[in-house]
Each structure stands twice: as structure tokens, then as C-alpha cells.
Amino acid sequence: MTESDYLQQYDQKEFDTPLLSVDSTLFTYHENKLKVLLVERSAHPDLGLWGLPGGFVELQHDQTLEQAALRKLEEKTGVIPPYIEQLQTIGNATRDKRGWSVTICYTSLIAHQVCAVSIETVKDAAWVNVADLEAMKLAFDHQEIIQIALQRLREKALYSIVPAYALAEKFTLPDLQQLHEVLIGKPIQKKSFRRRIEQADLLIDTGEKRQESGRPAALYRMKEQSGKYTFVRNLEG
Amino acid sequence: MTESDYLQQYDQKEFDTPLLSVDSTLFTYHENKLKVLLVERSAHPDLGLWGLPGGFVELQHDQTLEQAALRKLEEKTGVIPPYIEQLQTIGNATRDKRGWSVTICYTSLIAHQVCAVSIETVKDAAWVNVADLEAMKLAFDHQEIIQIALQRLREKALYSIVPAYALAEKFTLPDLQQLHEVLIGKPIQKKSFRRRIEQADLLIDTGEKRQESGRPAALYRMKEQSGKYTFVRNLEG
DNA sequence: ACAATAGTGTCTCTGAGACAATATGCG
DNA sequence: CGCATATTGTCTCAGAGACACTATTGT
């Protein structure tokens, strides 16, 4: 049989295949708290529980898995987040009551302000403080997935400035440092923090300042590829 | 409708779902060369081309994705590799001629000696020098997947001793350093290399020595969790 | 002037890079 | 002994940690 004959008669439905979905952990930082976006499930199974934004791939519309993840996020937040990264794929026979199930998980970051309005209008979506998660029962294994995502984000805080994507486009160095401190769970020497960012030339000084109380702080924005940069030496875990 | 009613009438075949497979890049190190395991495809599509060991998840037998990947590797090599790690999941509408396709990729390492015999007896499996890959046309996007796996392994060589799993159970420090040098593509100061491994207490001195020519070298084996250790400071990329 | 926060100066300390010096086996 | 390879000593240098000091705003 030739390959084209084979493709002609190929019927995918002959084979048993797992359920396949895409889920995202979307984090943001607002009022000194790290938050994750949850949505209330409107269908079985685990109807009524809160879980990660996600769903099935639409074979007609989505060209890639990442596009599928971004589409789901845009539906909930009204915008496409500036940072998305594949986290991990979880697949086993027991995570979904319907049977063997696979989910490709993404981690995404966004500024709180750019989607706060949109989310407030959507009844079934909400930002939840990461600190409050522990007490919640989430759908499927989503609790676990969030913990994996958090661990990865914490590691990244030690050797990159990826967390900056959870801030507004323009932000101050104290802003960013505070976010890293929340992630790492301990204070960072401001000199160390500033030195490495300056030395690696990761940010652009916009020339603007922001003041709340005390000396005004310079506003920076990220350079194009700054999220990909990794420091050769980590901050202390 | 209750959840149990829903589960009762649920029929997975109603929904269009992508093809789903599991593929692994299995690396080893032998005679100063990094090698990857390839298998010749015995079915359409891409029949006759060489590609990564992998296939479909068997819903009846595999409990997890990782088990599925390990099962495929054991079929080809006769043994279960000591290191496996999820690499990345690739899914899009175009990578497989049959349609929307998703593959969960793993990276795995093994000592050459423990599976060399088994592989020589299997006609459709072979170790290929990574350096020779470029000239080959591989099935699907497997060429690309191997490059992603290599890049990740190279990064790990800078901040971990994960590559040690590609060596025999007992190995010398010059062995390991050489492997890291092949991965990184440049020489490493032996003092630096030894210092960091000793300081992190990652290996056990077996007391045995191995001699080829010159002073005999001490044989070490890895401690249990040494693969998880990451140095706070990278070697120079 | 003082409070509050931003940003700098500078010392210490760890660990990588460089490379010379020893050590231990073989013939 | 001389060769080959393993292992150690030790100097330099970059960059993180610590912490005191200066700068810039508002009240």
C-alpha cells in the first residue's frame, strides 16, 4: 500500500485515544499579592468547582496548542497575554472521571490592570490570591498544576526577570524587586538586584518617574528579548 | 443532569480530537561521541524513514504518559533507562499528514553498554551520532525535536550533572568532564569542574580505580538525588 | 527639618577561570 | 627515568550579600 492509499482510508475514530485538553495558569501581581485566574466550571464533570481556564482544542480553528491556550485566555480576559510558556503535560488514567486524559499546561503572565475590567464583567472568572488557594477545592488536578507552575515561576525569579511580564508595561525597579521577593519568599538586597539587571542591560529607562511617597522612582520597560535572558549566577534560593 | 448521569452517557468518540503520541529522545555517550537512538518506521506515514522511538498510548496498559514512553524505550533497548524527563509537547495541524497531531516528547539517558547488545539484535533500531544527524531526513518533525532536546541537555550540562546518566553506573570524573565538554562544545577547567562536584557532594567514591594509560582515575557513582541538584552558578556557556 | 522611599558606595565572600605543580600508574 | 593522565594548589576576577550612605520628593 502506498502512503497516499493509506491516508485515503485512514479513520482516526478507529483508535482509542485519551481526552485531550489545554489548560493555563495565568498569574498577575496586584497590591503586593500574586494572583491566579480561575474560572467556574459550567459543565460536568466537576461542575460548579473552580479550575483553570482551558478546554479542548478546536481542530478547525486552532493551528497550534499554544494558540488554543491563548484563545481560551483571550475569551476570559479580553486580551492576549504578553508571556506564555509551556509548563508540563499531565496525562494518566485517573485524573478525569471520564477516562484517560491528557492536558497540556501553559503558564502565562499578564499585567493586572489591562484585564481587570474585563474579568470583573465575567461572572465565572476571578483572580484568586495564591495564598488563598490552599483552602480551595479545585477541579481535577488543577490545584497540583498551579503548584507546579508556581514552583517554576519561583525558580525563574532566581535567574531571570520573566516575572516582569506580570507587571504593567512601565514599572519601577522596586516594583519588580518586590514581586521577586514575594515569589522567592525572602528579601533581596536591592543593590544585588539592581546591579545584575543593569549589568545585563535588560531594561529601558523611559525617562519618566513615578511617585507615591518619598523619592520618585524611574519607570522602565522591558527590552524585546529580556524574558529569555538567564543570569549565570542565581540569587540565593 | 447529575454528574453520574453525564458520565453514563458520555461517549468520547463524539468529539474530534487530535492524534496523540509519545516520543522519546534517548541519548547515550560512547567513544567520545554523543548518540541518539533512532528506529526505522515500519508503517505509514513516513514508512521507511528513521525517527524517534515512540507511538500511541495504550489506554489499557499505560497508567501515565511517562510509563508509555518508558514502555516504548524498553521494547527497543531491553532495559528501562535511569533518567527520563518530559521535554516538550508539540501539537499543530501540520506535523502529521493524517491531521492535527500532538506528541508528548521525553528526553532520556542511558549507559551505552547496558543496551548495546540488545540494540544490535534489533534490525530497526540504531544509535546515530548526533554529529551525523544533520545529513539525515527523519520522520515527521523529529529532527527538530532532537535539536530541542540537545539544546536542553546542553543547558543542563552548565548547571547540573544530569548528563552523568548517559555514563555507566561507575564512571571517572574525567569521563564526566569530557561528556560535558562535548555537550558544551568547549573545554572546561578541570579544577572548576571537580571543585563544584565535590563541594556539592554529588558523587560517591567507590574506592575502585580505572586505568587506561597514565595515573588511574577514581571511579564514582551518583548519589540518589544528584540529578535534581542545580548549581547556583553556571559554567560559562 | 523630617519622613519615606529611591538609588549608590564599598567591603566581604564564594566560586569559576587560569594554569602551574604534584601524584601515580605504565613502559 | 620518561610518558600519560589524574589530582591538587593557588592566584585572579566577577558578581552576590551586607549594610551604610546619599538623593529626591512631600509635608
Side-chain angles (χ1 to χ4, degrees), chain B residues 148-161:
Chain B
I148 295 170
L150 276 172
Q151 194 186 323
R152 180 105 130 234
L153 194 54
R154 287 180 183 127
E155 278 160 21
K156 284 197 189 278
L158 295 175
Y159 61 77
S160 82
I161 58 166

PDB file of all heavy atoms in Angstrom, chain B residues 148-161:
ATOM      1  N   ILE B 148      15.821  20.350  19.888  1.00  0.00           N
ATOM      2  CA  ILE B 148      15.318  20.949  21.129  1.00  0.00           C
ATOM      3  C   ILE B 148      15.859  20.181  22.332  1.00  0.00           C
ATOM      4  O   ILE B 148      16.300  20.761  23.326  1.00  0.00           O
ATOM      5  CB  ILE B 148      13.773  20.955  21.150  1.00  0.00           C
ATOM      6  CG1 ILE B 148      13.231  21.855  20.037  1.00  0.00           C
ATOM      7  CG2 ILE B 148      13.249  21.403  22.510  1.00  0.00           C
ATOM      8  CD1 ILE B 148      11.730  21.732  19.820  1.00  0.00           C
ATOM      9  N   ALA B 149      15.854  18.865  22.218  1.00  0.00           N
ATOM     10  CA  ALA B 149      16.349  18.030  23.323  1.00  0.00           C
ATOM     11  C   ALA B 149      17.826  18.288  23.568  1.00  0.00           C
ATOM     12  O   ALA B 149      18.275  18.388  24.716  1.00  0.00           O
ATOM     13  CB  ALA B 149      16.107  16.559  23.007  1.00  0.00           C
ATOM     14  N   LEU B 150      18.580  18.427  22.488  1.00  0.00           N
ATOM     15  CA  LEU B 150      20.010  18.678  22.626  1.00  0.00           C
ATOM     16  C   LEU B 150      20.274  20.013  23.296  1.00  0.00           C
ATOM     17  O   LEU B 150      21.133  20.132  24.167  1.00  0.00           O
ATOM     18  CB  LEU B 150      20.674  18.667  21.246  1.00  0.00           C
ATOM     19  CG  LEU B 150      21.057  17.300  20.732  1.00  0.00           C
ATOM     20  CD1 LEU B 150      21.516  17.387  19.292  1.00  0.00           C
ATOM     21  CD2 LEU B 150      22.157  16.705  21.608  1.00  0.00           C
ATOM     22  N   GLN B 151      19.517  20.986  22.874  1.00  0.00           N
ATOM     23  CA  GLN B 151      19.707  22.303  23.467  1.00  0.00           C
ATOM     24  C   GLN B 151      19.466  22.252  24.971  1.00  0.00           C
ATOM     25  O   GLN B 151      20.244  22.798  25.758  1.00  0.00           O
ATOM     26  CB  GLN B 151      18.745  23.284  22.802  1.00  0.00           C
ATOM     27  CG  GLN B 151      19.078  24.732  23.086  1.00  0.00           C
ATOM     28  CD  GLN B 151      18.008  25.648  22.520  1.00  0.00           C
ATOM     29  OE1 GLN B 151      17.465  25.396  21.452  1.00  0.00           O
ATOM     30  NE2 GLN B 151      17.702  26.707  23.245  1.00  0.00           N
ATOM     31  N   ARG B 152      18.415  21.573  25.355  1.00  0.00           N
ATOM     32  CA  ARG B 152      18.103  21.458  26.782  1.00  0.00           C
ATOM     33  C   ARG B 152      19.206  20.714  27.519  1.00  0.00           C
ATOM     34  O   ARG B 152      19.598  21.088  28.626  1.00  0.00           O
ATOM     35  CB  ARG B 152      16.784  20.719  26.936  1.00  0.00           C
ATOM     36  CG  ARG B 152      16.389  20.553  28.366  1.00  0.00           C
ATOM     37  CD  ARG B 152      15.279  21.511  28.747  1.00  0.00           C
ATOM     38  NE  ARG B 152      14.243  20.760  29.397  1.00  0.00           N
ATOM     39  CZ  ARG B 152      12.969  20.751  29.038  1.00  0.00           C
ATOM     40  NH1 ARG B 152      12.556  21.491  28.035  1.00  0.00           N
ATOM     41  NH2 ARG B 152      12.099  20.030  29.694  1.00  0.00           N
ATOM     42  N   LEU B 153      19.705  19.645  26.897  1.00  0.00           N
ATOM     43  CA  LEU B 153      20.754  18.858  27.544  1.00  0.00           C
ATOM     44  C   LEU B 153      22.020  19.692  27.693  1.00  0.00           C
ATOM     45  O   LEU B 153      22.730  19.604  28.698  1.00  0.00           O
ATOM     46  CB  LEU B 153      21.011  17.592  26.722  1.00  0.00           C
ATOM     47  CG  LEU B 153      21.821  16.483  27.385  1.00  0.00           C
ATOM     48  CD1 LEU B 153      21.221  16.071  28.718  1.00  0.00           C
ATOM     49  CD2 LEU B 153      21.943  15.279  26.456  1.00  0.00           C
ATOM     50  N   ARG B 154      22.298  20.510  26.700  1.00  0.00           N
ATOM     51  CA  ARG B 154      23.466  21.382  26.774  1.00  0.00           C
ATOM     52  C   ARG B 154      23.325  22.372  27.914  1.00  0.00           C
ATOM     53  O   ARG B 154      24.276  22.640  28.644  1.00  0.00           O
ATOM     54  CB  ARG B 154      23.638  22.140  25.444  1.00  0.00           C
ATOM     55  CG  ARG B 154      24.139  21.252  24.348  1.00  0.00           C
ATOM     56  CD  ARG B 154      24.315  21.983  23.026  1.00  0.00           C
ATOM     57  NE  ARG B 154      24.737  21.023  22.020  1.00  0.00           N
ATOM     58  CZ  ARG B 154      24.156  20.829  20.844  1.00  0.00           C
ATOM     59  NH1 ARG B 154      23.110  21.564  20.490  1.00  0.00           N
ATOM     60  NH2 ARG B 154      24.615  19.920  20.007  1.00  0.00           N
ATOM     61  N   GLU B 155      22.131  22.917  28.060  1.00  0.00           N
ATOM     62  CA  GLU B 155      21.916  23.837  29.179  1.00  0.00           C
ATOM     63  C   GLU B 155      22.113  23.113  30.500  1.00  0.00           C
ATOM     64  O   GLU B 155      22.742  23.633  31.416  1.00  0.00           O
ATOM     65  CB  GLU B 155      20.504  24.435  29.105  1.00  0.00           C
ATOM     66  CG  GLU B 155      20.432  25.609  28.145  1.00  0.00           C
ATOM     67  CD  GLU B 155      19.014  25.899  27.687  1.00  0.00           C
ATOM     68  OE1 GLU B 155      18.053  25.494  28.368  1.00  0.00           O
ATOM     69  OE2 GLU B 155      18.865  26.528  26.609  1.00  0.00           O
ATOM     70  N   LYS B 156      21.598  21.915  30.589  1.00  0.00           N
ATOM     71  CA  LYS B 156      21.741  21.173  31.842  1.00  0.00           C
ATOM     72  C   LYS B 156      23.195  20.883  32.152  1.00  0.00           C
ATOM     73  O   LYS B 156      23.579  20.808  33.321  1.00  0.00           O
ATOM     74  CB  LYS B 156      20.938  19.869  31.785  1.00  0.00           C
ATOM     75  CG  LYS B 156      19.461  20.091  31.954  1.00  0.00           C
ATOM     76  CD  LYS B 156      18.720  18.825  32.314  1.00  0.00           C
ATOM     77  CE  LYS B 156      17.230  19.065  32.259  1.00  0.00           C
ATOM     78  NZ  LYS B 156      16.694  19.699  33.485  1.00  0.00           N
ATOM     79  N   ALA B 157      24.007  20.717  31.129  1.00  0.00           N
ATOM     80  CA  ALA B 157      25.431  20.463  31.356  1.00  0.00           C
ATOM     81  C   ALA B 157      26.089  21.651  32.047  1.00  0.00           C
ATOM     82  O   ALA B 157      27.119  21.502  32.698  1.00  0.00           O
ATOM     83  CB  ALA B 157      26.125  20.158  30.035  1.00  0.00           C
ATOM     84  N   LEU B 158      25.481  22.817  31.928  1.00  0.00           N
ATOM     85  CA  LEU B 158      26.063  24.019  32.534  1.00  0.00           C
ATOM     86  C   LEU B 158      25.740  24.154  34.019  1.00  0.00           C
ATOM     87  O   LEU B 158      26.445  24.848  34.738  1.00  0.00           O
ATOM     88  CB  LEU B 158      25.572  25.274  31.809  1.00  0.00           C
ATOM     89  CG  LEU B 158      25.994  25.433  30.350  1.00  0.00           C
ATOM     90  CD1 LEU B 158      25.327  26.658  29.740  1.00  0.00           C
ATOM     91  CD2 LEU B 158      27.499  25.543  30.237  1.00  0.00           C
ATOM     92  N   TYR B 159      24.641  23.525  34.460  1.00  0.00           N
ATOM     93  CA  TYR B 159      24.250  23.766  35.858  1.00  0.00           C
ATOM     94  C   TYR B 159      23.835  22.505  36.607  1.00  0.00           C
ATOM     95  O   TYR B 159      23.248  22.596  37.679  1.00  0.00           O
ATOM     96  CB  TYR B 159      23.143  24.824  35.923  1.00  0.00           C
ATOM     97  CG  TYR B 159      21.863  24.462  35.199  1.00  0.00           C
ATOM     98  CD1 TYR B 159      20.964  23.570  35.758  1.00  0.00           C
ATOM     99  CD2 TYR B 159      21.554  25.009  33.962  1.00  0.00           C
ATOM    100  CE1 TYR B 159      19.789  23.241  35.111  1.00  0.00           C
ATOM    101  CE2 TYR B 159      20.390  24.682  33.301  1.00  0.00           C
ATOM    102  CZ  TYR B 159      19.510  23.804  33.883  1.00  0.00           C
ATOM    103  OH  TYR B 159      18.354  23.471  33.235  1.00  0.00           O
ATOM    104  N   SER B 160      24.098  21.343  36.034  1.00  0.00           N
ATOM    105  CA  SER B 160      23.752  20.096  36.724  1.00  0.00           C
ATOM    106  C   SER B 160      24.687  18.996  36.266  1.00  0.00           C
ATOM    107  O   SER B 160      25.518  19.206  35.389  1.00  0.00           O
ATOM    108  CB  SER B 160      22.314  19.689  36.415  1.00  0.00           C
ATOM    109  OG  SER B 160      22.247  19.020  35.166  1.00  0.00           O
ATOM    110  N   ILE B 161      24.556  17.808  36.867  1.00  0.00           N
ATOM    111  CA  ILE B 161      25.319  16.674  36.349  1.00  0.00           C
ATOM    112  C   ILE B 161      24.385  15.614  35.778  1.00  0.00           C
ATOM    113  O   ILE B 161      24.713  14.428  35.743  1.00  0.00           O
ATOM    114  CB  ILE B 161      26.262  16.068  37.407  1.00  0.00           C
ATOM    115  CG1 ILE B 161      25.484  15.622  38.639  1.00  0.00           C
ATOM    116  CG2 ILE B 161      27.340  17.053  37.783  1.00  0.00           C
ATOM    117  CD1 ILE B 161      26.320  14.716  39.530  1.00  0.00           C
TER     118      ILE B 161
END
